[in-house]
Amino acid sequence: MKTSTAIKRLPVAAVGATFVVLGVTIANVQASTFTYIAGVNDNFSLSNGTELSSPSASLLAFATNSGAFPSFYTNNFDDSSIDKQLFHTFTGLPSNITSATLEFRAKPNGGGSDNDAITLAFAYTGSTINPPYFVSRFGATGILPNLWDTTNYPSGQVFTLNLAALPPSQPGGVSNLLPGLNSNGFLDIRINDDTSVDYLKLTLTTSVPESSSILGLGLIGALGVVCLVRRSSSV
């Protein structure tokens, strides 16, 4: 990380006085990017085996209460089973999130894949998802224009979802999950149930105020001119 320092002189007139400026701060914004990956981006390859997901305790409790665990639960990426669901939680997320994208590759496995859906959520009461949450089918009634089946998408599809401007959700869902990400610090993901998932990639951008200062100064007599020396830093 390289930091450069720029000095700017701002003339200020002062007549017959001594003028001193100290400790004036100016807010800058420093942006950082965080990336979280689950699974391996290997196009569903089983040459290295399957990769385990990591659902939180609350997400597993929801799976149990909704009847998805254990008979309809799989903890593996690249699993091509039908009537199985993937649950994963991204934890330890930063604060001050200003943008977020979720990228993943998924593939229909047959069966009743066209009614398969993705759910993004934070909290539950029994088998009920508490707001805010997002839920949408993959197929023609959801994110994609065509039926989510092996005929239309035999090799799968890479999805990139803007979590601040999500596509139309099923009733009760929201289009902007940034407030939920910032208030909870994690994200639960559920994908069901005739769809295999290759990987999940969550990318976040944060903005954190960074202070810079005007260093002050000047000793001046009559009809003199003071210069304020402003020191700013950029990354």
Side-chain angles (χ1 to χ4, degrees), residues 115-121 129 132-138 141-143 166-175 177 190 192:
N115 65 2
D116 285 1
I118 179 171
T119 302
L120 309 175
I129 306 173
Y133 64 84
F134 168 82
V135 56
S136 179
R137 291 183 177 179
F138 295 117
T141 58
I143 301 172
L166 288 158
S169 177
Q170 293 182 16
V174 300
S175 61
L177 287 180
R190 173 196 187 191
N192 65 308

Short mmCIF file of all heavy atoms in Angstrom, two decimals, residues 115-121 129 132-138 141-143 166-175 177 190 192:
data_model
loop_
_atom_site.label_atom_id
_atom_site.label_comp_id
_atom_site.label_asym_id
_atom_site.label_seq_id
_atom_site.Cartn_x
_atom_site.Cartn_y
_atom_site.Cartn_z
N ASN A 115 -38.44 -25.37 -10.20
CA ASN A 115 -38.94 -24.60 -9.06
C ASN A 115 -37.87 -24.38 -8.00
O ASN A 115 -38.17 -23.92 -6.90
CB ASN A 115 -40.17 -25.27 -8.44
CG ASN A 115 -39.85 -26.63 -7.84
OD1 ASN A 115 -38.70 -27.07 -7.84
ND2 ASN A 115 -40.88 -27.31 -7.34
N ASP A 116 -36.61 -24.66 -8.34
CA ASP A 116 -35.52 -24.44 -7.40
C ASP A 116 -35.28 -22.95 -7.19
O ASP A 116 -35.52 -22.13 -8.09
CB ASP A 116 -34.24 -25.12 -7.88
CG ASP A 116 -34.30 -26.63 -7.70
OD1 ASP A 116 -35.32 -27.13 -7.23
OD2 ASP A 116 -33.31 -27.30 -8.06
N ALA A 117 -34.76 -22.62 -6.01
CA ALA A 117 -34.63 -21.21 -5.65
C ALA A 117 -33.39 -20.97 -4.82
O ALA A 117 -32.78 -21.90 -4.26
CB ALA A 117 -35.87 -20.76 -4.86
N ILE A 118 -33.02 -19.71 -4.73
CA ILE A 118 -31.96 -19.27 -3.83
C ILE A 118 -32.57 -18.36 -2.77
O ILE A 118 -33.44 -17.53 -3.08
CB ILE A 118 -30.83 -18.54 -4.58
CG1 ILE A 118 -29.74 -18.07 -3.60
CG2 ILE A 118 -31.36 -17.36 -5.40
CD1 ILE A 118 -28.49 -17.52 -4.26
N THR A 119 -32.14 -18.55 -1.52
CA THR A 119 -32.60 -17.72 -0.42
C THR A 119 -31.40 -17.11 0.27
O THR A 119 -30.43 -17.81 0.57
CB THR A 119 -33.40 -18.55 0.60
OG1 THR A 119 -34.52 -19.16 -0.05
CG2 THR A 119 -33.90 -17.69 1.75
N LEU A 120 -31.46 -15.81 0.51
CA LEU A 120 -30.44 -15.09 1.26
C LEU A 120 -31.11 -14.50 2.48
O LEU A 120 -32.08 -13.74 2.35
CB LEU A 120 -29.82 -13.99 0.40
CG LEU A 120 -29.31 -14.41 -1.00
CD1 LEU A 120 -28.82 -13.19 -1.78
CD2 LEU A 120 -28.20 -15.44 -0.88
N ALA A 121 -30.62 -14.83 3.66
CA ALA A 121 -31.35 -14.43 4.87
C ALA A 121 -30.40 -14.29 6.05
O ALA A 121 -29.19 -14.55 5.94
CB ALA A 121 -32.44 -15.45 5.17
N ILE A 129 -38.74 -17.68 7.75
CA ILE A 129 -37.62 -16.77 7.53
C ILE A 129 -38.05 -15.37 7.96
O ILE A 129 -39.09 -14.86 7.51
CB ILE A 129 -37.20 -16.76 6.05
CG1 ILE A 129 -36.91 -18.17 5.57
CG2 ILE A 129 -35.98 -15.87 5.84
CD1 ILE A 129 -36.66 -18.27 4.07
N PRO A 132 -35.08 -8.89 7.13
CA PRO A 132 -35.09 -8.84 5.66
C PRO A 132 -34.51 -10.11 5.05
O PRO A 132 -33.62 -10.73 5.63
CB PRO A 132 -34.18 -7.64 5.37
CG PRO A 132 -33.17 -7.68 6.48
CD PRO A 132 -33.94 -8.12 7.70
N TYR A 133 -34.99 -10.49 3.89
CA TYR A 133 -34.46 -11.65 3.18
C TYR A 133 -34.75 -11.48 1.70
O TYR A 133 -35.56 -10.65 1.29
CB TYR A 133 -35.07 -12.95 3.70
CG TYR A 133 -36.56 -13.08 3.47
CD1 TYR A 133 -37.07 -13.56 2.26
CD2 TYR A 133 -37.46 -12.73 4.47
CE1 TYR A 133 -38.44 -13.66 2.05
CE2 TYR A 133 -38.82 -12.83 4.27
CZ TYR A 133 -39.31 -13.30 3.06
OH TYR A 133 -40.65 -13.39 2.85
N PHE A 134 -34.07 -12.29 0.90
CA PHE A 134 -34.32 -12.34 -0.54
C PHE A 134 -34.52 -13.80 -0.92
O PHE A 134 -33.77 -14.67 -0.49
CB PHE A 134 -33.13 -11.77 -1.32
CG PHE A 134 -33.19 -12.05 -2.80
CD1 PHE A 134 -33.96 -11.26 -3.64
CD2 PHE A 134 -32.47 -13.11 -3.34
CE1 PHE A 134 -34.02 -11.52 -5.01
CE2 PHE A 134 -32.51 -13.37 -4.71
CZ PHE A 134 -33.29 -12.58 -5.54
N VAL A 135 -35.53 -14.06 -1.72
CA VAL A 135 -35.75 -15.41 -2.23
C VAL A 135 -36.30 -15.31 -3.65
O VAL A 135 -37.20 -14.51 -3.93
CB VAL A 135 -36.71 -16.23 -1.33
CG1 VAL A 135 -38.03 -15.52 -1.12
CG2 VAL A 135 -36.90 -17.63 -1.88
N SER A 136 -35.72 -16.08 -4.56
CA SER A 136 -36.18 -16.08 -5.94
C SER A 136 -35.86 -17.41 -6.59
O SER A 136 -34.82 -18.01 -6.32
CB SER A 136 -35.52 -14.94 -6.73
OG SER A 136 -35.96 -14.96 -8.08
N ARG A 137 -36.75 -17.84 -7.46
CA ARG A 137 -36.47 -19.03 -8.27
C ARG A 137 -35.43 -18.70 -9.33
O ARG A 137 -35.25 -17.55 -9.71
CB ARG A 137 -37.75 -19.54 -8.91
CG ARG A 137 -38.74 -20.14 -7.91
CD ARG A 137 -39.96 -20.70 -8.61
NE ARG A 137 -40.87 -21.33 -7.66
CZ ARG A 137 -42.02 -21.89 -7.99
NH1 ARG A 137 -42.42 -21.87 -9.27
NH2 ARG A 137 -42.77 -22.47 -7.09
N PHE A 138 -34.76 -19.74 -9.82
CA PHE A 138 -33.81 -19.56 -10.91
C PHE A 138 -34.50 -19.46 -12.26
O PHE A 138 -34.06 -18.74 -13.14
CB PHE A 138 -32.83 -20.74 -10.96
CG PHE A 138 -31.94 -20.83 -9.75
CD1 PHE A 138 -32.00 -21.94 -8.92
CD2 PHE A 138 -31.05 -19.83 -9.46
CE1 PHE A 138 -31.17 -22.04 -7.81
CE2 PHE A 138 -30.23 -19.91 -8.36
CZ PHE A 138 -30.29 -21.02 -7.52
N THR A 141 -39.81 -18.00 -13.90
CA THR A 141 -40.58 -17.15 -13.00
C THR A 141 -39.68 -16.41 -12.02
O THR A 141 -40.17 -15.82 -11.06
CB THR A 141 -41.61 -17.99 -12.22
OG1 THR A 141 -40.91 -19.02 -11.49
CG2 THR A 141 -42.61 -18.64 -13.15
N GLY A 142 -38.36 -16.45 -12.25
CA GLY A 142 -37.43 -15.82 -11.33
C GLY A 142 -36.33 -15.06 -12.04
O GLY A 142 -36.60 -14.12 -12.80
N ILE A 143 -35.07 -15.48 -11.82
CA ILE A 143 -33.92 -14.72 -12.29
C ILE A 143 -33.71 -14.89 -13.79
O ILE A 143 -33.36 -13.92 -14.49
CB ILE A 143 -32.66 -15.16 -11.52
CG1 ILE A 143 -32.84 -14.93 -10.02
CG2 ILE A 143 -31.43 -14.40 -12.03
CD1 ILE A 143 -31.72 -15.50 -9.17
N LEU A 166 -31.21 -6.28 -6.06
CA LEU A 166 -31.52 -7.65 -6.45
C LEU A 166 -32.70 -7.69 -7.41
O LEU A 166 -33.54 -6.78 -7.43
CB LEU A 166 -31.83 -8.47 -5.20
CG LEU A 166 -30.59 -8.80 -4.35
CD1 LEU A 166 -31.01 -9.13 -2.91
CD2 LEU A 166 -29.80 -9.94 -4.96
N PRO A 167 -32.78 -8.75 -8.22
CA PRO A 167 -33.92 -8.88 -9.13
C PRO A 167 -35.21 -9.10 -8.35
O PRO A 167 -35.18 -9.31 -7.13
CB PRO A 167 -33.56 -10.11 -9.97
CG PRO A 167 -32.60 -10.89 -9.13
CD PRO A 167 -31.83 -9.86 -8.35
N PRO A 168 -36.35 -9.05 -9.01
CA PRO A 168 -37.62 -9.21 -8.29
C PRO A 168 -37.63 -10.47 -7.43
O PRO A 168 -37.23 -11.54 -7.86
CB PRO A 168 -38.64 -9.29 -9.43
CG PRO A 168 -38.02 -8.51 -10.54
CD PRO A 168 -36.54 -8.79 -10.45
N SER A 169 -38.07 -10.30 -6.21
CA SER A 169 -38.11 -11.38 -5.24
C SER A 169 -39.52 -11.92 -5.12
O SER A 169 -40.49 -11.28 -5.53
CB SER A 169 -37.63 -10.87 -3.88
OG SER A 169 -37.72 -11.87 -2.89
N GLN A 170 -39.65 -13.11 -4.58
CA GLN A 170 -40.96 -13.63 -4.26
C GLN A 170 -41.55 -12.79 -3.12
O GLN A 170 -40.84 -12.07 -2.42
CB GLN A 170 -40.85 -15.11 -3.87
CG GLN A 170 -40.45 -15.98 -5.06
CD GLN A 170 -40.38 -17.45 -4.71
OE1 GLN A 170 -40.91 -17.88 -3.69
NE2 GLN A 170 -39.73 -18.23 -5.56
N PRO A 171 -42.86 -12.83 -2.93
CA PRO A 171 -43.52 -11.94 -1.96
C PRO A 171 -42.85 -11.95 -0.59
O PRO A 171 -42.49 -13.00 -0.06
CB PRO A 171 -44.93 -12.52 -1.89
CG PRO A 171 -45.15 -13.12 -3.24
CD PRO A 171 -43.82 -13.69 -3.64
N GLY A 172 -42.64 -10.77 -0.06
CA GLY A 172 -42.04 -10.62 1.26
C GLY A 172 -40.57 -10.33 1.23
O GLY A 172 -40.00 -9.91 2.24
N GLY A 173 -39.92 -10.56 0.09
CA GLY A 173 -38.49 -10.34 0.00
C GLY A 173 -38.14 -8.89 -0.28
O GLY A 173 -39.00 -8.08 -0.62
N VAL A 174 -36.86 -8.56 -0.12
CA VAL A 174 -36.40 -7.20 -0.35
C VAL A 174 -35.36 -7.20 -1.47
O VAL A 174 -34.81 -8.23 -1.83
CB VAL A 174 -35.78 -6.59 0.93
CG1 VAL A 174 -36.80 -6.55 2.05
CG2 VAL A 174 -34.53 -7.37 1.36
N SER A 175 -35.10 -6.02 -2.03
CA SER A 175 -34.14 -5.90 -3.13
C SER A 175 -32.78 -5.43 -2.66
O SER A 175 -31.80 -5.54 -3.39
CB SER A 175 -34.67 -4.93 -4.19
OG SER A 175 -34.86 -3.64 -3.63
N LEU A 177 -30.00 -5.83 0.40
CA LEU A 177 -29.60 -6.54 1.61
C LEU A 177 -28.44 -5.87 2.34
O LEU A 177 -27.96 -6.40 3.34
CB LEU A 177 -29.20 -7.98 1.26
CG LEU A 177 -30.32 -8.94 0.91
CD1 LEU A 177 -29.76 -10.33 0.61
CD2 LEU A 177 -31.35 -9.05 2.04
N ARG A 190 -29.15 -20.42 1.09
CA ARG A 190 -29.81 -21.72 0.89
C ARG A 190 -30.14 -21.86 -0.58
O ARG A 190 -30.73 -20.95 -1.18
CB ARG A 190 -31.10 -21.79 1.72
CG ARG A 190 -31.96 -23.01 1.46
CD ARG A 190 -33.36 -22.77 2.01
NE ARG A 190 -34.20 -23.95 1.96
CZ ARG A 190 -35.52 -23.93 2.19
NH1 ARG A 190 -36.12 -22.77 2.47
NH2 ARG A 190 -36.23 -25.04 2.12
N ASN A 192 -31.91 -24.75 -3.18
CA ASN A 192 -32.61 -26.03 -3.21
C ASN A 192 -33.19 -26.28 -4.59
O ASN A 192 -33.30 -25.35 -5.41
CB ASN A 192 -33.73 -26.03 -2.17
CG ASN A 192 -34.83 -25.01 -2.50
OD1 ASN A 192 -34.56 -23.85 -2.74
ND2 ASN A 192 -36.07 -25.46 -2.52
#
